[in-house]
Amino acid sequence: MTQLALVIDLNVCVGCHACVTNCKQWNTSGEAGPLVDENPYGKDPTGTFFNRVQTFEVGEFPHTETVHFPKSCLHCEDPPCVPVCPTGASYKREEDGIVLVDYDKCIGCKYCAWACPYGAREIDEKQKVMKKCTLCVDRIYDESLPEPERKPACVLACPTSARLFGDVHDPESEVSIAIREQGGYPLMPEWGTQPSNHYLPRRKTKMKIHKDELVRVDNPLKKDGHLPKVDENESFLEDSASW
Amino acid sequence: MHPAFSVIFLTTLIGAGQGLFLALMTVQAYADIGALALPEGSYFGTNSMIALALLVAGLIASFFHLGHPERAWRSAAMWRTSWLSREVIALPIFMGLVFVYGLLHYLGYNPNLFGENAPPQGELTYLVGLLGVVAAFALFICTGMIYGCLKFLQEWNTPLTPINYTLFGIASGFTLATALTAWMAPTLVNFYGGWAIAFTVLAFITRSASLIRNQRIKHRSTLATAIGVRHAQIQQKAQGAMGGSFNTREFFHGKTAAFLKSIKWVFLVLVFPVPVLLLALGLQNNSATLLGLAFAIQYVGLLAERWFFFAQAKHPQNLYYQTI
Ligand code: SF4
Ligand code: SF4
């Protein structure tokens, strides 16, 4: 079984919001109609987004670290938002594990949003239906797009490649390897939702350079002693033609 | 959570309607074993219609909660998994039974289904009423479980939630029955009044238990598990939106802690001691006005109780919005 998901590398995310912008652009232009924006240029702009980037400061000054934290639906393997939906508008796809909302069935009761511990669902105040990340389901299977572009809009937009996309059930996929080898973790594991999206932790990148690495004792040039020597006074043919 | 008035009215109104119906059936059950004299004439018919009116009012209130009320019929689909769906089925079934029950009484059509010599439980109204009792309790459980089943809303995730919904509904229904009966069948007032006081006291015990439980609740999610950074010192610097979002509106009550606390005391006073006192006085002085007042005050108290019930619940998503 396939389970598509995102893996987000907190070590490289710079909090630029490119994923937020591209997500909004793609998903507000799709068949499902716009994602609402209220007062976009007014005092209190608000609207529906599938993806948001938050920023946290960890530690106490001056020993602090800034963590930019992109946040969207985690496409849980055991999604608590699905069984509570009274209409069946919320569902998890068998074939690829994406959790979706059927906007034509949703009655806008918001019960699913209450049942998601992550706050990943946002109602569209204009269409009055529940919306959430679709993993760009209208993009990743679109054969009219060139193969490398069949990825969620956020993944394509990220300038630092902090967002990986793939099948977390395939142990050899890029995302599975990243989770396995870089300590990928799920959010709020205490509720047993088994989020498919994982996060890669901040890492300290340190390099220890030893003296003998700067001046190598076994420097082949020095060792072999065959440095070509040039006689500065030797004259060449072109010397006679220059001044 | 942000308390929605549509849901506050829905749960309090149908609760009182269910309680009123259960009160009627209690009298009929007592009468059938000969412990009470059955009230005359249209007593059951009229009171059933009042219960039905409360249920309809609750149903109308619930529509204000929906973004697409015209699609509400779809919500009966997922009864296998969703308590909300089950409530959507149980409510109209119960309303139908209350209607039939009232109509049969009103028309005086009450044949004994198992023959003339069968015990009185064979009466048609009694059987319809029994089905109604089952539906009323099923509805209480559905309503309570809508909230009780959400395991990470720890304030709600306890058997006390459906128990409180049930007892509050029954208590307010019996109080209403006491007031109505004072006008219609004064001989029964003491019977209802006694039960109303008993259920109010019972509800006080279970609600106090849940208040005490919630006071010492330890939330399992923390900011550290929410973002997966194991550090005791984490401060939020940006929430991802300037003008707020659905997340900042739906999950926060937006009032001060002092306000929350004062609402708690308001409902503790208005739901329990005041109605009990008014009921006792009303019974003693045979005053329908005092009994009516008891119901009105208890109902207002229940609105406050429901508001507090929602406002008190802390959704784990709030961890992502530290500076509301
Ligand atoms: S993150 Fe929330 S909305 Fe997404 S699948 Fe999990 S519970 Fe459902
Ligand atoms: S808001 Fe829509 S998707 Fe969510 S539970 Fe209600 S009907 Fe289902």
Side-chain angles (χ1 to χ4, degrees):
Chain A
M1 220 182 65
T2 313
Q3 173 65 63
L4 296 180
L6 295 169
V7 169
I8 296 165
D9 192 343
L10 297 182
N11 199 46
V12 291
C13 174
V14 291
C16 71
H17 290 248
C19 52
V20 179
T21 316
N22 210 29
C23 165
K24 180 85 175 187
Q25 194 282 331
W26 176 262
N27 287 297
T28 207
S29 330
E31 257 175 72
L35 287 179
V36 69
D37 266 319
E38 287 169 306
N39 309 321
Y41 305 105
K43 187 156 95 27
D44 288 318
T46 184
T48 301
F49 285 75
F50 291 172
N51 180 30
R52 296 182 185 270
V53 177
Q54 305 187 321
T55 302
F56 296 90
E57 193 174 83
V58 181
E60 206 166 343
F61 185 80
H63 305 291
T64 53
E65 243 183 84
T66 303
V67 177
H68 300 292
F69 182 78
K71 175 175 173 295
S72 57
C73 169
L74 309 166
H75 299 277
C76 302
E77 307 229 13
D78 189 2
C81 56
V82 168
V84 301
C85 172
T87 62
S90 279
Y91 62 105
K92 184 172 176 70
R93 307 211 314 173
E94 282 290 330
E95 62 269 36
D96 53 16
I98 301 182
V99 176
L100 288 179
V101 180
D102 183 338
Y103 301 148
D104 294 330
K105 278 191 189 164
C106 174
I107 56 173
C109 68
K110 304 182 208 157
Y111 193 25
C112 54
W114 292 16
C116 166
Y118 308 98
R121 294 174 165 246
E122 298 187 18
I123 200 143
D124 186 313
E125 300 282 5
K126 199 154 231 149
Q127 289 181 22
K128 301 282 182 201
V129 294
M130 196 50 76
K131 295 199 169 173
K132 60 177 275 305
C133 160
T134 66
L135 277 182
C136 287
V137 70
D138 52 347
R139 193 184 165 99
I140 54 179
Y141 295 113
D142 185 350
E143 299 197 343
S144 68
L145 291 172
E147 173 98 53
E149 282 181 29
R150 290 180 215 155
K151 282 182 179 176
C154 57
V155 175
L156 294 171
C158 181
T160 60
S161 302
R163 305 175 75 94
L164 311 176
F165 169 67
D167 175 12
V168 288
H169 281 184
D170 169 8
E172 292 316 313
S173 68
E174 183 193 19
V175 282
S176 298
I177 293 173
I179 294 171
R180 203 162 58 230
E181 297 186 350
Q182 299 180 52
Y185 64 85
L187 304 181
M188 293 188 196
E190 59 272 24
W191 302 117
T193 54
Q194 292 170 267
S196 304
N197 283 13
H198 283 68
Y199 287 76
L200 304 182
R202 300 269 301 164
R203 295 180 290 280
K204 294 261 186 283
T205 315
K206 278 190 181 150
M207 201 156 81
K208 178 94 183 139
I209 299 177
H210 298 275
K211 220 178 194 157
D212 60 344
E213 284 170 326
L214 288 172
V215 185
R216 285 174 61 183
V217 280
D218 54 350
N219 187 331
L221 295 176
K222 206 172 172 188
K223 198 171 197 176
D224 297 345
H226 291 317
L227 284 179
K229 286 242 166 69
V230 182
D231 183 356
E232 280 167 18
N233 302 318
E234 195 181 348
S235 59
F236 293 90
L237 182 59
E238 57 266 36
D239 289 343
S240 55
S242 54
W243 63 89
Chain B
M1 303 292 295
H2 183 264
F5 272 96
S6 49
V7 182
I8 292 177
F9 279 111
L10 162 73
T11 55
T12 49
L13 286 170
I14 64 170
Q18 285 158 271
L20 179 56
F21 176 78
L22 291 174
L24 292 181
M25 266 308 281
T26 312
V27 159
Q28 189 168 0
Y30 269 72
D32 274 1
I33 56 167
L36 274 178
L38 209 57
E40 301 201 349
S42 57
Y43 176 81
F44 284 100
T46 313
N47 277 316
S48 300
M49 290 311 136
I50 292 172
L52 192 61
L54 287 168
L55 297 169
V56 171
L59 188 64
I60 292 172
S62 77
F63 279 102
F64 286 94
H65 188 67
L66 302 184
H68 282 280
E70 79 284 1
R71 297 180 188 161
W73 59 272
R74 284 188 181 277
S75 56
M78 301 308 279
W79 55 271
R80 282 185 200 80
T81 58
S82 169
W83 283 105
L84 179 51
S85 189
R86 289 171 198 157
E87 184 189 43
V88 165
I89 295 172
L91 181 55
I93 290 181
F94 178 59
M95 288 168 76
L97 287 168
V98 173
F99 178 74
V100 173
Y101 179 80
L103 194 69
L104 289 175
H105 270 296
Y106 185 74
L107 298 177
Y109 182 71
N110 196 16
N112 203 327
L113 292 187
F114 307 136
E116 276 310 306
N117 300 324
Q121 283 83 348
E123 290 170 1
L124 184 58
T125 54
Y126 198 87
L127 290 179
V128 173
L130 278 186
L131 289 178
V133 170
V134 173
F137 277 102
L139 185 53
F140 275 132
I141 292 171
C142 290
T143 312
M145 284 308 287
I146 288 177
Y147 310 102
C149 75
L150 300 173
K151 62 178 167 184
F152 42 82
L153 275 161
Q154 287 173 267
E155 287 84 353
W156 296 348
N157 188 225
T158 152
L160 287 170
T161 300
I163 291 175
N164 284 334
Y165 269 89
T166 309
L167 287 176
F168 277 134
I170 294 180
S172 63
F174 270 83
T175 310
L176 178 59
T178 314
L180 291 173
T181 306
W183 268 293
M184 287 186 245
T187 48
L188 286 172
V189 170
N190 280 329
F191 174 79
Y192 281 127
W195 279 117
I197 292 175
F199 281 121
T200 304
V201 170
L202 214 56
F204 175 70
I205 294 171
T206 59
R207 189 60 172 112
S208 305
S210 78
L211 282 178
I212 292 167
R213 171 189 181 273
N214 289 350
Q215 196 134 49
R216 42 183 66 194
I217 221 163
K218 188 169 178 326
H219 289 102
R220 285 174 72 184
S221 290
T222 61
L223 188 50
T225 70
I227 67 169
V229 175
R230 303 281 178 264
H231 200 293
Q233 285 260 340
I234 308 175
Q235 261 184 36
Q236 186 157 37
K237 294 292 171 186
Q239 300 187 142
M242 290 162 63
S245 61
F246 174 70
N247 305 65
T248 63
R249 290 186 292 265
E250 180 74 5
F251 300 95
F252 294 89
H253 54 76
K255 300 280 191 290
T256 59
F259 184 84
L260 193 68
K261 205 164 178 184
S262 63
I263 290 288
K264 180 173 83 179
W265 286 107
V266 165
F267 94 70
L268 280 176
V269 170
L270 293 189
V271 176
F272 307 111
V274 176
V276 166
L277 205 70
L278 287 173
L279 278 169
L281 284 176
L283 293 180
Q284 218 159 42
N285 305 330
N286 232 335
S287 157
T289 327
L290 283 180
L291 296 174
L293 204 59
F295 172 72
I297 289 182
Q298 191 170 44
Y299 184 75
V300 171
L302 281 177
L303 294 179
E305 189 278 335
R306 223 38 56 89
W307 189 94
F308 182 82
F309 172 79
F310 286 105
Q312 197 197 24
K314 284 203 181 70
H315 199 287
Q317 85 95 33
N318 293 6
L319 293 167
Y320 296 106
Y321 298 89
Q322 296 275 319
T323 49
I324 293 292

